[in-house]
Every structure is written in structure tokens, then in C-alpha cells.
Amino acid sequence: MKNVFCKILFLILLYISHQSVTAQQVYEFELDTKKIGSPIQSTMYGLFFEDINFGADGGLYAELVKNRSFDFPQSLMGWNTFGKVEVRKDNLLFDQNPTYLLLSGSGHPHKWTGIENEGFRGIGFKKDATYRFSVWAKKVSGEEDQKIRVEFIDSKSNNIGSQELAINSYDWGKYEMIMPAKVTEAKGRLRIFFTTKGTIAVDHVSLFPTDTYKGRENGLRKDLAEALADIHPGVFRFPGGCIVEGTDLDTRYDWKKTVGPVENRPVNENRWHYTFTHRFFPDYYQSYGLGFYEFFLLSEDIGAEPLPVLNCGLACQYQNNGEHCHIPVGDLDSYIQDALDLIEFANGAVTSTWGKLRAEMGHPEPFNLKYIGIGNEQWGREYVERLEPFVKAIRAKYPQVKIIGSSGPSSDGKEFDYLWPEMKRLKADLVDEHYYKDPDWFLSNAGRYDNYDRKGPAVFAGEYASHDHSTGKQNNFLSALSEAAFMTGLERNADIVHMCTYAPLFAHVDGWQWNPDMIWFDNLYMVKTPNYYIQQLYAQNKGTNVMKLVRSIDKNAITGQDGLYSSAVYDKERNCFIIKIVNISKEAKDIKIKLAGFNKKTNFTVGDCVMVQHDDMRAINTLDLPSVIVPQKTEAYIDSNTLSAKAQPQSFNIYKIVL
Ligand code: AHR
């Protein structure tokens, strides 16, 4: 009996001692405070924008009417018509958008003529908010003023806003009025009754909230644009993505079609309408209402360097194998000229052809464009031989503009290995790398750039996102935390990684083709994913210089040992060190960071510390529950020259040491 008792006591003591050893395990790091490292580029953390998932039309671009100019190939797509409505295609005023409608009196007092637009999976109206309705119209017959009654309709067919408009001229003109909505409705419609007896012509029927971002007409959806500004992005890539290439060259993104009066910007096919037949959206077109001018303006508004990416004479190589789909190398002149003209549009004097257009559109000052990407996910010799003449021409005319080349669609492999040396040979300034990989890839690649060639072009991680296939690629916490871990490696190597942009940016909950995406929205609200918050925290805490942070035990960088990832920066303006620690394990970790180089009497304080944490890696934010995963406060302590903190299980932490 005594023997058994002794054994139990021994086991209890062993358990307790083991527990205290575990509890006391401290992870010791050292920050070399005396050696301020390489500068971090202002462009380091940025945004990638593409009109995918209804990101532009139906999303950031605040227009609420789909097919507003009736120039989709099916002229009435998005519209219901009733009574006497005729489609015409000879509007010479808008030669690139020639389709319009004739509305004629119904011929009977109890019958009606009119049209009704379904919006982008409905139209979102907010109670008491006001909307700018506009239409290009003219009288065709009828002595008196001809009239329309414009109505906002809810999902149950109730009228939730109504106003009359008189069309009083036989010449085309723009008519507009401001209308309030009586109730909030996510799936509304716009209905227009023709209420007189003659005939009118109508074109470019448009409806915007008046409360757009910065109050601009032809503006952007305020909540979405503000979410972008709140990130504090350093660079803004536009317009994609595959959309740059087009399924064929006729449908490539042609920047020149996206500037000038919106009424005459031709509609383009959006390749995302058919890229995935399991997510097929036959009504997805590009109005180009959010075009290159709006892109430059938004970049300026949110303080990001604009980064346009242009077609290099290749249509999407995934979709086209043969040379016949592409522009022969000898015939690239107009494509190269497009690139030169875009730089002139952004930076040229108001007396230059394209600078003049910029000024006419409202921005005489240059946009100060510094970067240009040529080609998106291109590969092979056909890319290199096309890129080369672009590089020559841009270098000759605009030597100060930095050129970004592609490393293909994958993070490694044959194309990647071929393209990097070619980019070096062509002296590209940056090389665009893309990786859509699973969380394990992100976790095991936190050291990807530690031994990269420092002598070649810099890296632009131009498209990346962690894809957790086991949950249907949701924007779950695992995806966000694995990106945070990986990004410690981007930051540690900011001497060669000069830009990174998560992709894609936006997705409409009822109209997406690709996931995950950084911001989801419906017609009224939006939700920031945990991935958004990771990007935001990096961008807002990017600092100005890389600092060396290592494990005390072996002086190695912290790249996943014991489930920990870390990087550190110095911020000149705020005079502080900022340390980022990701703990992917299920246990809290006691961390001590010695500020090597400072003696024990130096006075530091701990600044605001933030963490993003969740116990469930599968957790997500939704429109209904948008705050499941949000940044929250955390704590750290300074004792003599050592910072102590407890990194919570499954957490991303930012600690600030103010000097
Ligand atoms: O971000 C979605 C798509 O992924 C981009 O259009 C393309 O460049 C990449 O394949």
C-alpha cells in the first residue's frame, strides 16, 4: 500500500514539475538595435484591383444600373420592357455606344410603356439616402414636354421612391434629378414609366448614390473605397489580372477606351463572365465607367503609387495556344505606343495630346506615375521577345519609369526558372510573382526570400492568397494567419521585396467567380475578412527600415521553429521598433526580446500593441457577423532592455517599442 502511495506521489510530482517546465518555457529573441537595416519601400504593401467578382461594375464603381447604354450584345440584358419600346442602333452622339431606346405612348390610358432595370443582382437603396438619376434623352414626337416617372421599386414590387422628369428638347441632352429612397432595400429595381403620348429616345440611363467616395459624380461606392483608404496602401495595381490579357486581343483591357466621357466608353466583354462555367455570369460586362482616369484619381486619393499593368501583345496564354492569337512581334508598335501614351496621359504636360485629355477630365496636374507593368501572367519566349521592345521604347522615352516584368503564373517551375534570368537580362526593375497556394505552402515559405539573388530585379509579389481547399477556399482565420506568417518573410527581405498585393480584392456575395477575396459585399454592406486586417496591420506598421531579429539560441531568423514567425522594423517617423510575431501553435508562447545594443538603463516604453487571434482556424467574418475576427489590444512589458510578451495561441501580434 505504502509503495502504491509513493508511486502516485512520484507521478504527481513529475506531472507538476513537467507542467512548470512547460509553463516556464521562454522563447528568446534578439533585436540588433544598433544596425538600422535596408529601407522599406513606401510601396511595400498595396492593393491589387481587377474587375472580377463584380469588383468594378456592380462593386466599387457606384453605378447602380446594369447595361445603362443598352450596348451589351443582347441590347436589353438587365432590362424588362413593357408597352411600346423599340431598340435603335444609330445614336451618332455616342458612336462607340450607338444603341438607344425609343419609348412611345401606349395608345391607351390604362396601358403603360416603360422599362425596368434589375441592377447588379438587385439595386441597393438606403432609407433617406439620395440618388442621382440621369438619362440622355430627346423628344422624337409630341408637341408638349414629354414626361417620364422614375420609380424605385422594392423586392415586393412596392414603390419606395418616385419622381417626374420632363424631356423638353428635340436635341439629345442630359437630364438629371436627385431622388430620395423611402426605405432600405437590398434587391430593388429602377422602373421608368413613359407617361405622355408622343415618343422619346433614351440612352445612358444612370443611377448613382449622391454620397459617393469624396462626393464625386461618376464616383465610387463610399464604404468600399474607404475600406481601401483605411489600409494605407503604398501601391495600387490596376486593372488586373487576366483581364489585362483578354480571351482574345479584341477583348483585352484597352486603356484608351476607358477615358473621356463615360457615355462614349465602349462596353467590353468581361472574361470572368465565362472563365468558370460552374460560376457562369452571362451578364458580366465592363462598362469602363471606372477607367484609367478614375484609377489614377483613386490612387491619389488613397495615397498609393499607381501601378498600371498593360497588355504586351499576348492574349491569355491559358486560353490560346497558337501564335495566331497574339500580335506578331514585328507588329507591336501600336501596343508599345499605348504604353507610352499612358505615361503621357498620367504625367504629360497639358499641352501634350494625352496630358490635355487628362486636364480636360479635371486633373491638369500630373499623376506622377512611376511604375508600369507589361504583361500579366505571361510565359515563354513569346513573352520575352515581346517585352523586349517595350522595355527599349519605355527606357528611351521615360528612363525614370520603373518596368515590371512577369515570372509567369506559378511560384516556381519551368516557366518561372526561365523567366527570372530573362528578366534580369532585360533589366526589368521588378519581377511580378504570383502564388495562390495552400496554407502549408505559406507557412513553409516564410524563408522564401532569405537567400534570393540580391543582384537582380526586385520582387513584386503581385498576386497571392492562401487557399484553404478543405473549407472551400474560405477567407478563414487559417488562411489569414498563414499569410501573416509568410509576410514576416516579405518584410524581413524588404531590401529585395519592394511590393506585395493580396489578390483578388473584392467579391459580390451573389456574383463571385473566384475566392478567397479580401473584401466581400452585397448591395448595401461589406465585410472585411481576417485577410484584410492582416494586410492592413502590415501596411499601417510597415516602418521605414528592416531590423535584424533572430533567435538567441542559434541566431537564426524566426521562420516557423516552434510555430513562431517573426520580423522587425524600425520606424523613423515614429521613432519606434515594431515587432511582428505570428504564433500558429495552439499554445500561448512566452516571448522575450532582448534589445541588443541598448544598455539596461535606457528608457523605452511600450506603444500600442495589437493582435488578431482566434481559437478556431475555420472561423470567418460574414456580412451578418462581421466582427468575429478583428484586431484587438494586447500587451507587452519592458524590463530593463528586454521586452516580454505572451503570444496567444493562434495569433498575429504587433508590439511597439517607442524610443
Ligand atoms: O486574381 C485572380 C486571377 O488570378 C488573376 O486575374 C490572374 O492574374 C490570376 O491567375
Side-chain angles (χ1 to χ4, degrees), residues 31-287:
L31 179 72
D32 182 355
T33 61
K34 286 296 169 217
K35 202 163 166 230
I36 303 294
S38 305
I40 296 171
Q41 304 300 312
S42 66
T43 52
M44 182 69 186
Y45 303 107
L47 299 171
F48 161 97
F49 181 86
E50 178 166 21
D51 193 359
I52 183 173
N53 307 317
F54 288 86
D57 288 292
L60 183 60
Y61 184 48
E63 173 63 84
L64 298 168
V65 176
K66 183 170 67 192
N67 189 15
R68 62 187 171 187
S69 62
F70 313 103
D71 285 289
F72 283 16
Q74 282 77 20
S75 311
L76 292 176
M77 187 174 263
W79 294 94
N80 281 327
T81 65
F82 43 94
K84 294 189 177 160
V85 177
E86 190 188 332
V87 177
R88 300 289 291 264
K89 290 191 173 283
D90 55 355
N91 188 351
L92 301 179
L93 189 63
F94 307 132
D95 58 332
Q96 304 204 82
N97 277 334
T99 314
Y100 63 100
L101 301 184
L102 287 183
L103 309 186
S104 301
S106 72
H108 189 289
H110 288 265
K111 294 186 184 180
W112 293 99
T113 285
I115 54 177
E116 189 179 274
N117 191 269
E118 65 189 20
F120 298 90
R121 273 116 202 99
I123 294 179
F125 293 108
K126 289 194 176 167
K127 183 174 180 328
D128 298 332
T130 53
Y131 296 83
R132 175 175 285 104
F133 170 85
S134 68
V135 59
W136 280 79
K138 65 176 181 180
K139 284 202 289 187
V140 175
S141 72
E143 286 303 300
E144 310 295 315
D145 283 358
Q146 297 297 301
K147 290 193 179 144
I148 56 174
R149 190 172 72 244
V150 179
E151 295 189 355
F152 300 159
I153 305 295
D154 73 8
S155 56
K156 298 195 174 73
S157 235
N158 299 309
N159 177 330
I160 57 168
S162 176
Q163 225 159 275
E164 277 214 332
L165 188 67
I167 314 297
N168 55 17
S169 167
Y170 285 102
D171 294 323
W172 280 110
K174 185 176 179 181
Y175 295 80
E176 67 175 46
M177 60 187 177
I178 304 295
M179 296 176 61
K182 289 187 218 145
V183 298
T184 295
E185 169 62 55
K187 301 264 181 199
R189 279 168 292 153
L190 177 74
R191 185 178 289 161
I192 300 170
F193 287 104
F194 179 53
T195 56
T196 40
K197 290 182 180 154
T199 296
I200 57 168
V202 292
D203 201 350
H204 202 88
V205 180
S206 169
L207 186 72
F208 277 82
T210 53
D211 192 18
T212 55
Y213 183 59
K214 301 220 175 252
R216 296 209 171 93
E217 291 187 28
N218 193 49
L220 305 179
R221 197 172 128 169
K222 193 178 182 183
D223 58 341
L224 298 181
E226 282 178 349
L228 301 187
D230 287 348
I231 284 187
H232 297 186
V235 68
F236 187 21
R237 171 181 172 157
F238 180 94
C242 291
I243 221 169
V244 168
E245 304 156 39
T247 301
D248 40 46
L249 286 168
D250 286 347
T251 54
R252 76 188 193 278
Y253 198 102
D254 178 349
W255 78 265
K256 286 179 176 164
K257 294 180 177 162
T258 77
V259 292
V262 284
E263 295 84 356
N264 210 19
R265 298 183 193 173
V267 168
N268 193 16
E269 196 173 278
N270 188 319
R271 62 157 286 151
W272 295 108
H273 111 201
Y274 47 67
T275 300
F276 302 127
T277 43
H278 62 288
R279 304 283 312 162
F280 191 71
F281 293 92
D283 59 339
Y284 198 4
Y285 287 83
Q286 300 174 78
S287 71

